[in-house]
Amino acid sequence: MSRARVLLLNAALGPLDYRVPHGLAVEPGSIVTAPLGPRQLVGVVWDAERLATEEVGDNRLRPLLAVADVPPIAAPLRRLVEWTAGYYLAAPASVLRMCLASNSALEGAKLAIEYRATGVVPDRMTPQREQALERIGERRGLVRELASIADVSDAVIRGLVKLGAIEAVSVDIDQPYPVPDPDHHQPALSADQQAAADQLTAAVDARAFHPFLLDGVTGSGKTEVYFEGVAAAIRQGRQVLVLLPEIALTEPFLKRFTARFGCEPVPWHSDLRSTQRRRAWRAIASGQAKVVVGARSALFLPYADLGLIVVDEAHETSFKQEEGVHYHARDVAVMRGLFEKCAVILASATPAIETRQQVAQGRYTEVKLPGRYGKAQLPTIEPIDLIEQPPERGRWIAAPLVKAIDETLGRKEQALLFLNRRGYAPLTLCRSCGHRFQCPNCTAWMVEHRLIHRLSCHHCGHVIPTPRACPECHAEDALVACGPGVERIADEAAALWPTAKIAIVTSDTIWSPARAAEFVGRMEAGDIDIVVGTQLVTKGYHFPDLTCVGVIDADLGLQGGDLRASERTFQQIAQVAGRAGRGTKPGHVYIQTTQPNAPVMQALISGDADSFYAAETEARREAEVPPFGRYAAIIVSSEDKGAADATARAIGRAAPQVDGCHVYGPAPAPLAMLRGRHRFRLLVHATRALDVQDVIRDWLDGVEWGPKVRVAVDVDPYSFV
């Protein structure tokens, strides 16, 4: 090639042509360094016919500077970048950046210097040093990574290095990973599991695109079934990707994987050190890493030979990316399988209606596991009507649930109290003047966290110490917490069962795989009697002695105008109920609700999921909403409220008049300010047959806005705030 079309990692730029110097070999997919003005940017050589740009003469082309010593980005991944950018109306460069998620991976092999705690405790300790050593534990990393983990400044870490509490170590960052052995341990599968596994392994062996829905009740052994598909891909020498919705689920998964295959898979998530990301990225690109388990970002890594993709807990809304490129990992995973010509398994006990509809249309093959593995039985589910049996004043746990936990603890078994609300209380106000603590950057209340003595915004992360006096009227001891969070439920549990060992499990306490491993170890050792947790505990965990589950506020998820509110509530409560009775001991679930006759509650109590989903599906069909219609949100934001408002109105005035397309708004977003930016929303509702992306692309191309205004498009939105 004498000239190359390059897609640079700059979303503001389109593709640019460059001259290929003599002696520099490039091909489509080559990762290159290219000049742009005085800067040097990383980019990827693209198929010239697939990305249009302004043609310029050879004499005006600047030469490429270098080619990275890594395999080129393969054609299937380049097609996925194009599809994702087109479907989600994102800049191709923004999607490509997710493929090149480790800058150091593009450099040559080298040693790195990392730091770790020595166990030495300095004579002079400060609160920051204590916090740093506690949070770092046995972790290693660069100075800035350890500072980020410990939530302290770089200077605190450097000070601990000087005092000998932290030491430098040399790390070989390109060691090969162990290869999983598909025959390390062959589990005894039930007849249903074996039949399901045979279907999946046959599809993997066929080396063709084939999407599956692995629909099994909680505790049915879905993981062991799709592990057989993983084994089939390993035997072929191909690679496997397993996507998990939460970083905290990684550690339990690693234990199960190691027991089956004799070694851990390659992890990919936000908690990795930069040296770990480099090692993983290069091993994935070379094909040496055979099995990767990770968060949604692992979907865009440059696999050399992908033979299977598994999306575990595929119904989870956390697979939808809400920042940057607004993609849904479940749907992009299916498209990657199409481009890579490999099988895709969506595993879930409560599949999304969108996935069920794909099965109904014959696009996905459904594989069912109707019963729990072995002698385990599904738990009984009982409602507690909070109108007829309210808790005592100032309490949140009703008497029937208190009695059930009394009996559970008496049998030396474990209990779980579920409330999907972090912190102590969602609102703090002054009883003297009524002042409410609101985030200065967002239209959201500050949440009280008594464990850390802070008020926190869960949207932007703004934190202030809990004041002693009201900032408005200056009255002391007048602040009152309104409503419950998990910390408040834990306090109530401690008062009711003073001898019980209680653990709070939220993203505030389980922020890494290491903390998740510690929690799992304590549960398995019987060192925890009662777990109080958020949605973090609703999936992936298997504790045979956990037999009682109490849902504190089952109605919480039904609030608001989300079209998926009932479905999400069903999924969440069904998942948390599935933690009970997973061993030989029977499980019991108690749902506290003010609406025991609501269809979603009746479906949970009766176990009639099919009728619930049929009614929900029919209601969506009549309303022509997803999956029978299309939604797209246009979010306009700016630090200048007037500029955001004016731009939103201009976009609204330019709305297209197209059959099968309706535009609602603009209107202030429910979360009208987020991270200091004022927000306005428009909602596009279109028929399924309409190419809504083309309509929006042409529409927005005809509207201009200033540099301080940001316009984002969310195709198939899951959040309406």
Side-chain angles (χ1 to χ4, degrees), residues 28-257:
S30 294
I31 302 171
V32 297
T33 303
L36 185 72
R39 296 177 293 163
Q40 297 181 5
L41 299 181
V42 172
V44 173
V45 175
W46 218 263
D47 317 67
E49 70 278 6
R50 300 188 69 90
L51 288 182
T53 189
E54 181 184 355
E55 295 281 351
V56 298
D58 290 351
N59 61 326
R60 295 176 55 193
L61 297 180
R62 298 183 68 181
L64 294 173
L65 301 176
V67 179
D69 184 23
V70 293
I73 300 297
L77 183 51
R78 298 201 304 275
R79 301 295 83 81
L80 184 75
V81 169
E82 295 167 359
W83 180 86
T84 304
Y87 187 87
Y88 292 104
L89 296 174
S94 298
V95 183
L96 181 61
R97 184 175 294 277
M98 296 189 288
C99 305
L100 306 178
S102 173
N103 292 331
S104 61
L106 306 182
E107 303 168 5
K110 60 181 181 180
L111 296 176
I113 301 299
E114 294 186 338
Y115 294 84
R116 67 184 178 191
T118 62
V120 174
V121 179
D123 294 334
R124 184 172 172 273
M125 290 292 284
T126 65
Q128 289 84 1
R129 288 174 177 174
E130 288 182 3
Q131 177 175 313
L133 292 177
E134 178 188 351
R135 291 200 175 186
I136 289 169
E138 298 181 358
R139 291 170 156 183
R140 279 195 332 232
L142 305 176
V143 167
R144 66 175 179 272
E145 291 172 336
L146 295 184
S148 175
I149 290 167
D151 195 21
V152 298
S153 67
D154 289 7
V156 172
I157 303 299
R158 297 188 192 281
L160 289 169
V161 172
K162 290 181 180 179
L163 294 171
I166 292 177
E167 65 179 356
V169 291
S170 181
V171 182
D172 180 1
I173 55 180
D174 282 337
Q175 288 181 331
Y177 290 96
V179 176
D181 177 4
D183 301 311
H184 174 76
H185 172 70
Q186 191 66 44
L189 301 180
S190 68
D192 286 341
Q193 285 179 312
Q194 190 62 59
D198 289 345
Q199 273 189 272
L200 301 181
T201 54
V204 173
D205 290 340
R207 291 175 172 258
F209 172 61
H210 196 149
F212 288 91
L213 167 61
L214 180 57
D215 182 0
V217 299
T218 54
S220 59
K222 294 183 292 297
T223 304
E224 285 69 25
V225 169
Y226 71 66
F227 272 175
E228 296 308 297
V230 172
I234 296 172
R235 290 188 184 98
Q236 295 178 2
R238 304 183 78 190
Q239 293 171 292
V240 178
L241 166 63
V242 181
L243 293 179
L244 300 177
E246 298 278 359
I247 183 176
L249 294 181
T250 306
E251 198 65 26
F253 179 88
L254 295 182
K255 290 181 66 176
R256 297 175 74 174
F257 186 93

Side-chain angles (χ1 to χ4, degrees), residues 116 179 219 344 458 462 495 537:
R116 67 184 178 191
V179 176
V344 181
H458 288 174
H462 180 74
V537 296

Side-chain angles (χ1 to χ4, degrees), residues 176 225 257 283 324 411 571 649:
V225 169
F257 186 93
R411 296 191 300 268
Q571 290 169 334
R649 290 177 183 276

Side-chain angles (χ1 to χ4, degrees), residues 393-411:
R393 185 176 179 82
R395 301 278 189 177
W396 308 96
I397 306 175
L401 181 53
V402 172
K403 180 183 177 184
I405 295 178
D406 281 338
E407 295 171 351
T408 300
L409 299 181
R411 296 191 300 268

Side-chain angles (χ1 to χ4, degrees), residues 654-678:
Q657 302 298 316
V658 178
D659 289 341
C661 178
H662 300 278
V663 179
Y664 304 100
L671 196 57
M673 189 164 72
L674 178 64
R675 302 186 186 95
R677 299 182 68 87
H678 298 275

Side-chain angles (χ1 to χ4, degrees), residues 406 409-410 412 493-502 526-530:
D406 281 338
L409 299 181
K412 306 297 183 183
L496 288 167
W497 301 284
T499 62
K501 290 169 284 188
I502 299 171
D527 191 39
I528 297 172
D529 298 313
I530 301 174

